[in-house]
Amino acid sequence: MKFVHLSDLHIHGDDREDQAIADTLNLIQTRCPEHYVLVTGDITDDGDEGQYEKAAELLSPFSGRLFLTCGNHDYGKLGNFYDEERESRYAALEQKMKQPKRVKQLYSVDFGDEVKLIVLDSNLRTESPLDFACGQIEDEQLGQLDKELASSHKVKIIALHHHPFIHFDPTMKLLDADEFLAVCSGRTDAMLFGHRHKQDVWANRSGIGWLTASGRTADEGAAFEIIAENGRITVGSMPLR
């Protein structure tokens, strides 16, 4: 079973501005017709209605094998400050893309006896400028995550938008990162995220097998390929040029 990890598409709703990400998505569609596609947030640039329409157009070829989570730009007026109307537009995109139904702000998908995918909403619903671009999992979602991780002996993959441990910029941090990692530690085979526009990978950190940070997909020369096979996760690189 193979997944390709993308993030931070920042679709603008303008053909010229979106050409690079459109070309990248077309390349993935051609090269990876059987891969599942995971997009860890910032699908749109600021949650504008036209941007969501363009996102649905560009992502529709992956219908049936596409899994999305939201980023601060998807819910964010001017790209960051939370706006309820923009969140409702993201919910409409989820329905259009036939995403699984959320339970306590997360959804999980079981792939036979092999893999459980858990997708989180790490957005912080606040209009305070002090919380600019920050994230939070919060207690209710953490409790549901704990149940999901305890419910299966399958390989487990978690996807979210916010970076769980590198917080050089206090305006972009996951506020309850320590609590979140404590729930995941020792029970998570791979964790996928984006947000910082810096691509990187770690093995065996915080009790998690693999962690992949996707950069801004249109700017990267490669994406991460996550392979689940024989009860193990391996991480490889997939060229995007």
Side-chain angles (χ1 to χ4, degrees), residues 5 7-8 10 40-42 70-73 79-80 122-123 132-135 160-164 166-167 169 171-174 193-198 213-216:
H5 176 200
S7 196
D8 296 82
H10 288 280
T40 54
D42 282 359
C70 48
N72 53 294
H73 280 252
N80 289 287
S122 62
N123 279 334
F132 181 88
C134 287
L160 71 159
H161 180 60
H162 287 80
H163 202 298
I166 291 183
H167 298 137
D169 185 343
T171 66
M172 295 181 68
K173 70 185 298 185
L174 184 65
F193 44 89
H195 189 45
R196 292 185 66 244
H197 295 191
K198 183 172 175 57
S214 174
R216 181 168 175 158

Side-chain angles (χ1 to χ4, degrees), residues 130-224:
L130 300 176
D131 297 321
F132 181 88
C134 287
Q136 191 167 12
I137 305 299
E138 300 185 337
D139 290 346
E140 186 176 53
Q141 190 174 194
L142 278 175
Q144 183 64 24
L145 173 61
D146 182 57
K147 291 179 182 177
E148 294 284 351
L149 290 172
S151 68
S152 171
H153 296 290
K154 301 175 184 181
V155 167
K156 299 179 191 73
I157 301 172
I158 293 177
L160 71 159
H161 180 60
H162 287 80
H163 202 298
F165 60 84
I166 291 183
H167 298 137
F168 298 134
D169 185 343
T171 66
M172 295 181 68
K173 70 185 298 185
L174 184 65
L175 298 179
D176 52 357
D178 290 344
E179 295 88 341
F180 169 59
L181 289 173
V183 170
C184 299
S185 181
R187 304 194 290 174
T188 306
D189 298 280
M191 183 178 289
L192 286 53
F193 44 89
H195 189 45
R196 292 185 66 244
H197 295 191
K198 183 172 175 57
Q199 196 134 301
D200 213 335
V201 59
W202 300 265
N204 299 314
R205 178 163 181 158
S206 300
I208 296 163
W210 290 96
L211 301 100
T212 61
S214 174
R216 181 168 175 158
T217 290
D219 297 337
E220 297 294 340
F224 289 113

